[in-house]
Every structure is written in structure tokens, then in C-alpha cells.
Amino acid sequence: MRVKTRGAIEMIAAMLISGTVGWPVIASGQPAITVVFWRCVFGAFAMFMACVMLGLLKRGALTRQHITIAVIGGITLVLNWILLFGAYSYASISVATVTYHTQPFMLVGLGVLFFGEKLTANAFCWLLVAFGGMLLIIIGQQGAITLGSDYLIGVVMALGAAFMYAVTAAIIKRLKGQPPHLIVLIQLVVGAILLAPFVSWSGLSLPASTWGLLLIIGVIHTGLMSSLLYGAIQKIPTSLVGALSFIYPVVAIIVDWLVFNHHLSAVQMAGASAILLAAAGMNFGWKLAGSRPRESKKYS
């Protein structure tokens, strides 16, 4: 019981941290690519220290095949972060985060296309609920359906981020049983190398406050959050992981409201509720149509 309680506390802390990431991203005033680059640099340092303390940095810890898969996952993970952080500036943290939580359905689609998994009637119904919520999110902003609207661009970027995360999750499935801290370290190093050519090195004379925000994103929102999340997953049931993961979007909406005074309209709130309800239904196997409830599975 003590182990489970500790795991729940770690999961809650991880989701609280995740839900606040938009705040320092926006407050830094830096382009998404710059933020993600320094997230990778500082996060890699934090994960390196974690790997040292856990004794994971030893020869033969991963095979060449595992490293190759981790590298590919690192590329998609970095693209996911760039699109998500970019979406904050266009569609607000709330809308971007809720839209981002369509990722379970994209992972289901990838499973059907590439892993031979079946799309049940129940999953299809939840997909329709999420799609309806997505439409409400789009039309809930006045003028959002106008071609070229910044808001619509933000929604599309968040959907792109969700797709990249789903691809990352599908890739990571092939690394089951491998040390997660070491895998994340590889992905962050890949991200730093990949983005280095696109960072303006002439702009390194940033204010101390900006460097502080970038350090927080890398160490707290990446290194610490990942360590807490992995620790929690090892201690608590998958169903509880799925339930507590919904703290993330709720916190993001509250932060967006309190810090940036961004309020969701009634229509947007209905759309957000539909998406989160559908994601919960997928996580816990809630039955809408004629299919047997399946075992709870964590997709996001």
C-alpha cells in the first residue's frame, strides 16, 4: 500500500508539472525551436545524472537496434514538442493542450494501419465523440474557420503534435522492457544535435530570467517530470495512471486562465469536455457500442 501511495503521489506531481509547462514556454518569449533545443540540452544533463545514479550507463545496456529505434523516436518526440509549443502562441495553452489529447485515437489508427490491430465498434464511437469535440473546439472561436486564421493554425499544429506523439509511442512500444531513463537520454541528445543548426547562437545574450525559464523547462518539466512519471508507472496500476493523467489538461486550462486570462467559451468547453471524455472512455474501456470492455490501456 505504501508503494502504491508513493506511486500515486509521483504521478500526481508529474501531471501537475506537465500542466504548467506552457507558462514558462510562453513567458520565455523564445521561438519554439529555441525552447525545445534548450529543453533537450538541459533535460539531457538532468537525465544523464539520473542514469548515473541508477547505474544505467554501462556497456551493453542497449543493443544497436534499440539505440536506432530510440533515435527515430527522439526525432518524432522533438517534432511533437516543436508543434505543441508553437501551437500555444496561436490557439492558447488550453485549446492546444486539449486538442493534443486526441493522441489516443491517432495511436489506435496507427495500430490498425501498421500493427494489424482491430478497430472495435466501441473505439469507433469514442472516436466520433472526440471528432465532434474537435469540431466544437474549432467553431467555438469566432472567425476560427476563416482560411489562414491563426487560431486554426494553432489547432492544426496541436493535432500535428498529437500525431507525432502517437508515432513516438508506437515506436517506443518496440523498446518495452528497456531502461526508460536511458531511452529518454538518447532522445534528448538526438534532439539537441538535430536542432543545433537551427538555433540562433548570436542570441545567446538572453536575460537571466529567460535562461532561468529555459532551465526550468529542461530540468523540472523534462528531467524531474520524466523521473516521477516512470517511477509512478512502475508502482501503480495502468488504470490509475490513465485516471491521474487527466490532471494534466485540467491544470493547463487553469494556468491559462489564471496567468494569461484566456477563457474557453461555452462551445469550446463543451468540445474540450467531449475530447477528454472520449479519451477517458478509450483509456478505461467504457462501453458505448457492441464490443466487450477491454483492459485499460495507457495511450498518452
Side-chain angles (χ1 to χ4, degrees):
M1 178 62 71
R2 289 182 179 179
V3 172
K4 184 177 179 180
T5 300
R6 180 180 175 183
I9 293 173
E10 289 176 345
M11 186 66 190
I12 291 171
M15 293 301 97
L16 288 173
I17 293 171
S18 296
T20 62
V21 69
W23 184 357
V25 168
I26 296 296
S28 72
Q30 299 302 303
I33 289 180
T34 300
V35 174
V36 174
F37 171 75
W38 290 111
R39 178 180 198 177
C40 290
V41 171
F42 294 134
F45 177 76
M47 295 309 295
F48 174 79
M49 297 304 297
C51 288
V52 169
M53 290 186 290
L54 294 172
L56 299 177
L57 297 178
K58 53 187 178 181
R59 186 181 296 273
L62 294 174
T63 66
R64 289 185 179 180
Q65 182 181 16
H66 291 150
I67 294 174
T68 300
I69 295 172
V71 168
I72 296 173
I75 295 172
T76 56
L77 182 65
V78 166
L79 291 174
N80 149 66
W81 284 339
I82 291 174
L83 288 170
L84 179 61
F85 290 174
Y88 290 160
S89 300
Y90 290 103
S92 83
I93 295 172
S94 301
V95 171
T97 303
V98 171
T99 303
Y100 183 63
H101 275 72
T102 57
Q103 45 185 271
F105 307 99
M106 296 185 183
L107 186 55
V108 168
L110 291 174
V112 172
L113 291 175
F114 299 107
F115 299 107
E117 299 176 1
K118 294 182 179 179
L119 178 63
T120 65
N122 197 54
F124 182 72
C125 287
W126 283 123
L127 179 61
L128 290 179
V129 172
F131 181 73
M134 193 71 260
L135 292 179
L136 292 176
I137 285 284
I138 292 174
I139 67 176
Q141 175 79 6
Q142 185 176 4
I145 58 176
T146 303
L147 187 62
S149 165
D150 285 351
Y151 178 82
L152 188 56
I153 291 173
V155 171
V156 172
M157 290 179 72
L159 287 172
F163 177 74
M164 283 296 128
Y165 187 92
V167 172
T168 303
I171 292 172
I172 296 302
K173 274 188 174 184
R174 303 191 61 180
L175 294 173
K176 186 176 181 180
Q178 305 307 313
H181 294 82
L182 190 55
I183 292 170
V184 173
L185 173 61
I186 294 172
Q187 292 177 329
L188 292 174
V189 170
V190 168
I193 295 173
L194 185 67
L195 296 180
F198 302 98
V199 176
S200 176
W201 297 100
S202 60
L204 291 180
S205 56
L206 298 172
S209 58
T210 300
W211 281 116
L213 291 170
L214 295 174
L215 188 64
I216 288 171
I217 294 169
V219 176
I220 305 299
H221 290 93
T222 306
L224 178 59
M225 187 280 295
S226 297
S227 297
L228 288 169
L229 179 62
Y230 296 147
I233 290 174
Q234 293 172 354
K235 298 181 181 74
I236 61 178
T238 302
S239 59
L240 187 55
V241 172
L244 295 178
S245 68
F246 288 94
I247 294 174
Y248 172 17
V250 172
V251 171
I253 291 172
I254 294 173
V255 168
D256 202 22
W257 170 46
L258 293 177
V259 179
F260 300 105
N261 198 31
H262 290 159
H263 301 264
L264 292 177
S265 68
V267 175
Q268 287 175 315
M269 186 63 74
S273 300
I275 290 174
L276 296 180
L277 174 64
M282 285 291 293
N283 265 322
F284 306 126
W286 295 340
K287 192 173 180 180
L288 274 183
S291 64
R292 294 181 180 180
R294 57 183 179 78
E295 184 182 352
S296 299
K297 186 177 290 187
K298 169 72 175 163
Y299 285 108
S300 59

